[in-house]
Amino acid sequence: MKEIDLLLLSGDGVGPEVMESAISLLEKIQSSFKINFNLIEGLIGGASIDAHGLPVSDETLNQASQADSILFGAVGGPKWDSLPPNEKPEKGLLELRSSLGLFANLRPAILFDSSLEASSLKPGIIKDLDMLIVRELTGGIYFGEPREKKSSSAFNTMIYERHEVERIARVAFDSASLRNKKVCSVDKSNVLEVSEFWREVVIDVSKDYPDIELSHMLVDNAAMQLVKNPKQFDVILSSNLFGDILSDISAMLTGSIGMLPSASLDNRNKGLYEPVHGSAPDIAGQGTVNPIAMILSVGMMFRYSLNQLEISEKIKSAVSKTLDDGYATKDIADKNSKICSTKELTKIIIDHV
Ligand code: IPM
Ligand code: MG
């Protein structure tokens, strides 16, 4: 197999700590499965602002477009909070998504049995939860023009082109066809024209997928249903902003946002893989961050971009086994857990791969 050029963008806060876990895992996989990685390091977010004065440089964008795949840690932190939105670390991630055309964001929320107690919801409501949020990632209000902030007013534009809704809807239907064959499309079509349009286009696309059951839900209701009865969902399809919000809710259903991986894919399944948790400046540098979201993100990379389903499944079962044995970082620990540091938990998981 050819060598895989993998760009590592650790970023800020706990980003570098979870990236270390990813690197140890990759080293193990290289030696056990005869896959070769060429690891390339790049700067993003606050780290890039400090080095180059920009949240992402042309050099990083070039590295990203050359690489076969990208692992991303997290960006942002108090040090850069006073910068305007356009210069903040987060802007680096948005530019990367947009310039690489990573329009499809897959955020699975899977509850491991061992985390039943870590969730704030009753076990009966979340046991065996396994859902997937498919979030549109390069359009909508995040990128819509015009946008402006003045002293007297400010505005953004929520806009979708037909082709943008069509392609993300197809990702949702294709994903559902490999799962439980249900898509719930989320919008705010009782208020917003852009949502009415979204709903119409999704219905048009659904005609190509007669086996998939399509439903529609208003986003406020979807937020409520996610905490009331999350197991009614299989695949949730949403626009950029709504998916951002709903994916934090669904992450929390699994007990800790430290458990949730994600993939951001282009139209050829090239991807950027990142934990959903963000930079968590409050615990950065302490060696306590939960590495599972990052480890599962590496698992998603093997599945979606590298076509190595077997390795992906091995990683998932290694995580599962580790949790079943009672090992946990603080964020998911209950009174019976054996509490581990980031490094310790990573090592135990890797030993199971
Ligand atoms: C996410 C994050 C990002 C987003 C931020 C960091 C720009 O919240 O990936 O969910 O809003 O998309
Ligand atoms: Mg978010």
Side-chain angles (χ1 to χ4, degrees), residues 107 135 244 248:
R107 297 189 163 180
R135 168 188 175 196
D244 178 46
D248 269 25

Side-chain angles (χ1 to χ4, degrees), residues 49 57 99 114 134 143 147 149 180 213 236 247 323 334:
I49 295 176
S57 62
S99 81
S114 50
V134 176
F143 295 93
R147 58 197 294 159
K149 178 163 168 266
N180 291 327
E213 179 192 321
I236 290 184
S247 61
L323 293 170
D334 61 34

Side-chain angles (χ1 to χ4, degrees), residues 97 107 135 142 240-241 243-245 247-248 257 276:
R97 288 173 178 170
R107 297 189 163 180
R135 168 188 175 196
Y142 272 57
N240 204 341
L241 179 64
D244 178 46
I245 298 164
S247 61
D248 269 25
I257 196 162
V276 173

Side-chain angles (χ1 to χ4, degrees), residues 33 309-319 349 352-353:
F33 296 91
L309 203 58
E310 192 199 332
I311 299 180
S312 171
E313 289 300 319
K314 282 225 156 74
I315 293 174
K316 212 159 125 188
S317 6
V319 167
I349 295 171
H352 285 308
V353 171

